[in-house]
Amino acid sequence: MGSSIHIRSHKFNYLSAIFEHNFRLKVITLNTPIGKFPFIGPTYATRLKKLNIDNLKDLFYHFPAKYEDRQVSTRISEVRAGEKVSLEGVVWEIRNVRTKYGKNLTFALINDGSGSINCVWFNQPYLTKSIKQGQKLGFSGKSEYFNANLSLVSPDFENLDNKTSPIHTKGLVPIYPETAGVTSKWLRSRLSNLLSTSTGLKIYEVLPMEIVKKYKFANWLLSMKNIHFPANLNELERAKERFKFEELYLIQVRALKRKAEWSKQAKVQPFTIDQEKLLKFIASLPFDLTNAQKRSIKEIIGDLGKKTPMNRLLQGDVGSGKTVIAALSSYVVILQGYNTVFMAPTEILANQHFKTLETILNPFGISVGLQTSARKTKEDAHLTVGTQALLFKNWQPKTLGLIIIDEQQRFGVAQRAILREKGVFSHFLTMSATPIPRTMALTLWGDLDFSVLDEMPSGRQRIKTYVVPKEKRDKAYNFIRKEILEGRQAFIICPFINPSETLSSVRSAKQEWQKLSSEVFPDLKVELLHGRLSSSQKQSILEKFRRREADILVSTPVVEVGIDIPNAAVMMIEGSDRFGLAQLHQIRGRVGRSSNQSFCFLFTENDSPSILSRLRHLEKNSSGLSLAELDLKLRGPGEIFGLAQSGFPPLKLASFMDKELIKKTHEAAKKVIDADPELENSPSLQEIMRVEKTTPD
């Protein structure tokens, strides 16, 4: 947060110990490195780094994974074997015993007036220095018989004589994500010390006061205390609600602030649209545009006519016709005397887009170039297709009017910024075939406008999908042979290139290719494609498959996005349990790209009912959006959208499935940015944005 914490009291407490340890910190911020604090230091700072804790803010926001309910205190006379209990009592005796096998046992006899019970710890002889006879302690642990005596075995304990509230043995006790050398008990102690100094702290509120009042949230500091050390379940739930709101709100403020800055700083000459030429171009296409395509191109043309550069996301399911929209958009820009660049995530996809766009645009006198690490055509083309190689070359069109990025969620914010710098006065269109639930898109890409292709071109048939049991594998092979004899082709996808030592039952691409080409389909032409082949090898194999010089293509998921082979009618996916629903849908979309009926067979060696149930969603569901929402619910966003690679922080408490909360936080963030785009009246938010600008993407 970067909020200031001023020490006002000079009496001894945890934070004042900073001065006694010569740290000489007069003002502490939430961005102060964690190693600067006493009783933490560089050793624990290194350990905490494994938990992604670098500063005070990270420690505060290291929320508990769960809570153990130790609210009920049990009298010793009521303790029964096999129970988890919390109790308090006076230490009557404490001693170490060394067994004949060389082990150290520490025994303590505890009495609470109703009875006595033994506590026993293993190999912790130092406990006799911290537990003293006559002390009143709290204990929490499991009761078991040890040496025929009812005992608490290795219980947590804490001193109740120091007049501080118990944090380890009583109440709702937080249990944290841990790492070697950093236990929940250690974290509780440090957090309790830091949060207990609230009288000497000044915290700037992150949320607008009207939001705090509207939803009756406690202030930031009290909420932080309540989420770590709640007095009851109601306090805990209210604190969670507050931080869920804050989490989504901050993400949306960031996105909307980027949008406001983009609108304010970037200005372009509005494009005049030549309606006659555009209509003639559309009429020349060998198919009719869907209503969704017409709507999207209208929205894009509207953006191109403004002084503010377009910053739009075109989202469409596999096969919905995004490339045609890209071609139309490029044509409009090129007619104005400007160039376009089209960037794809892989060389395979860049080559395919190059061929498609060349076919569409060449008849209108539009030149299309290609720039990849393996191939380079003329640099003065009207439209240049390329991979990330475009980012790092000294190449720069003289008049770059439009930047198009395909599969945009694969690129980080920093990479997109590099492209923007290549075209200072350029429009920006990103495209994604990965269906993104609208609420998630609103949260993560709130700086973008949206166009959605929610229709498929006419003549496409629904892909018939089946989860195939192991015993029907031969029937599936026979079906593939039948389709090939009728003039079709087939994909067979495997998760790995080579056999896995740990997942021996999952089929690999090389292994399957050898078996299929020599044993199952010796009379057919079977090719192998995977990511370790050179660019020229990949392109050569795909061209052979496209020209029907191969009947079956065995491949890894390198063909997941964008590969267009209209004659392919069968998709067989091995180890389908290794993929998420959204990815399976993407892979399935490599077939069904013509008027022919297509089929998808899902194989798995995993007989788990939950796995089979998940896969069967594909049998009855052909909507990428609904499958993505299911995937989001089942697997979380990181695995589907690669957020870690895209510069987006994972959510700690909130959920991208919480549509109502996303709507509320979006409205709140928009209200703040609309009224105060520079955040001059929100110093804590200003500090957050400042710190993030200095942090690498």
Side-chain angles (χ1 to χ4, degrees), residues 680-692:
E680 292 177 355
N681 299 318
S682 305
S684 58
L685 285 177
Q686 218 176 28
E687 178 68 5
I688 290 169
M689 303 303 149
R690 185 193 66 77
V691 170
E692 288 179 350

Side-chain angles (χ1 to χ4, degrees), residues 89 162 180 186 222 323 387 391 423 427 429 433 468 492 500 523 535 617 628:
N162 55 14
W186 186 92
L222 182 55
T323 308
T387 60
L391 293 172
H427 294 275
L429 177 65
V468 184
I492 296 179
S500 169
D523 54 325
S535 298
H617 284 298

Side-chain angles (χ1 to χ4, degrees), residues 48-106:
L48 289 167
K49 199 169 185 65
K50 294 176 182 177
L51 294 171
N52 296 317
I53 298 174
D54 293 314
N55 53 37
L56 185 58
K57 173 193 169 188
D58 295 336
L59 182 60
F60 279 159
Y61 281 85
H62 187 67
F63 293 139
K66 60 181 180 179
Y67 301 80
E68 284 195 2
D69 190 346
R70 301 175 183 176
Q71 296 179 92
V72 178
S73 187
T74 304
R75 292 178 66 78
I76 290 176
S77 61
E78 297 170 352
V79 174
R80 299 291 179 266
E83 296 178 338
K84 280 189 175 181
V85 296
S86 293
L87 55 86
E88 53 188 63
V90 176
V91 180
W92 277 16
E93 182 185 15
I94 177 76
R95 59 194 174 91
N96 284 324
V97 174
R98 189 173 181 84
T99 70
K100 62 180 180 180
Y101 299 107
K103 293 182 179 179
N104 285 302
L105 301 179
T106 301

